[in-house]
Amino acid sequence: KNQVEQSPQSLIILEGKNCTLQCNYTVSPFSNLRWYKQDTGRGPVSLTIMTFSENTKSNGRYTATLDADTKQSSLHITASQLSDSASYICVVIRGSGTYKYIFGTGTRLKVLA
Amino acid sequence: GAGVSQSPSNKVTEKGKDVELRCDPISGHTALYWYRQSLGQGLEFLIYFQGNSAPDKSGLPSDRFSAERTGGSVSTLTIQRTQQEDSAVYLCASSLGLGREETQYFGPGTRLLVL
């Protein structure tokens, strides 16, 4: 079954601290993996896109990793800011030719001052 | 426009009524997607349109759901005889094409509440 599981479900950290969010998937055939940030009341916004051959990709303070062998990805946030408070959604794109988006349920991050 | 827009932003309706949700994609984007996001759940794919090709309706949960895309631009998602379980945020997204690394740009969503 094609699934994307994220952990933790929710996370509270202090401003300035780092954190790592996890994503495990059982999607086949794998095309690419994306991390989205969704602010409350807004649509998701793409942070990173990683293909099979990419292990690490950064976008400012966000760094995503991908281990295609173990089918795991992580999103590391460095020096968190209050504005990082949001849901972070892992999405795995399945297929070749015709693509299906498989969404995780997200990790809700709250950054406290 | 600058981004994907959706209307209305909020909709409250009574069980059994029909509703129409509208999506204006980014100009020039040929692909348009509809998703549903229930409380505490991940996004659920409903339907996508690509150019003039027949839409992929494989995610529509029942025949009460339908969608159109007129002139390759604006799309309308229609839910007939709404049920309480239809209450969710309905998100629209568009992308330049369907390439595997295309970025989807999401609208703010329509929050539907069926009483």
Side-chain angles (χ1 to χ4, degrees):
Chain A
K1 186 176 181 180
N2 293 294
Q3 286 186 318
V4 176
E5 296 183 349
Q6 293 187 243
S7 62
Q9 189 174 35
S10 61
L11 182 63
I12 300 175
I13 62 174
L14 293 177
E15 186 179 15
K17 298 295 185 181
N18 304 335
C19 66
T20 301
L21 314 179
Q22 300 291 341
C23 174
N24 297 339
Y25 61 93
T26 57
V27 176
S28 181
F30 174 89
S31 177
N32 61 81
L33 183 146
R34 306 168 184 219
W35 283 92
Y36 282 83
K37 178 186 179 187
Q38 184 175 21
D39 293 311
T40 300
R42 308 285 291 275
V45 174
S46 179
L47 294 175
T48 63
I49 300 175
M50 301 182 71
T51 59
F52 186 87
S53 60
E54 295 176 299
N55 301 119
T56 303
K57 182 166 280 190
S58 293
N59 178 0
R61 295 179 296 101
Y62 301 103
T63 299
T65 66
L66 174 63
D67 185 334
D69 292 330
T70 61
K71 299 187 177 182
Q72 295 179 326
S73 176
S74 67
L75 181 69
H76 186 75
I77 304 175
T78 303
S80 61
Q81 300 177 358
L82 297 178
S83 59
D84 293 332
S85 296
S87 286
Y88 291 84
I89 303 171
C90 177
V91 186
V92 179
I93 287 69
R94 170 181 176 260
S96 58
T98 300
Y99 301 104
K100 297 289 187 183
Y101 287 66
I102 315 296
F103 288 79
T105 55
T107 292
R108 290 175 186 76
L109 175 65
K110 179 71 174 176
V111 180
L112 300 178
Chain B
V4 178
S5 60
Q6 293 185 244
S7 62
S9 54
N10 294 280
K11 177 72 176 179
V12 181
T13 190
E14 293 179 348
K15 178 181 173 180
K17 300 286 189 183
D18 299 350
V19 295
E20 284 190 354
L21 313 180
R22 176 187 168 103
C23 172
D24 281 270
I26 293 173
S27 178
H29 280 194
T30 62
L32 184 148
Y33 311 77
W34 282 99
Y35 296 93
R36 179 168 70 176
Q37 188 174 34
S38 301
L39 190 64
Q41 303 294 316
L43 272 74
E44 175 189 5
F45 164 77
L46 296 177
I47 184 172
Y48 81 72
F49 298 86
Q50 166 60 16
N52 296 320
S53 302
D56 179 345
K57 304 179 181 180
S58 60
L60 295 178
S62 77
D63 58 8
R64 296 186 294 105
F65 288 73
S66 62
E68 291 185 340
R69 189 179 185 191
T70 55
S73 181
V74 172
S75 178
T76 302
L77 177 70
T78 302
I79 308 173
Q80 295 178 309
R81 305 180 303 282
T82 52
Q83 302 295 313
Q84 289 182 333
E85 60 262 29
D86 298 334
S87 297
V89 176
Y90 289 81
L91 289 162
C92 174
S94 71
S95 62
L96 273 174
L98 281 181
R100 69 174 191 169
E101 293 186 47
E102 291 285 358
T103 296
Q104 290 190 0
Y105 296 86
F106 283 83
T110 292
R111 284 151 195 76
L112 174 66
L113 177 61
V114 181
L115 300 177

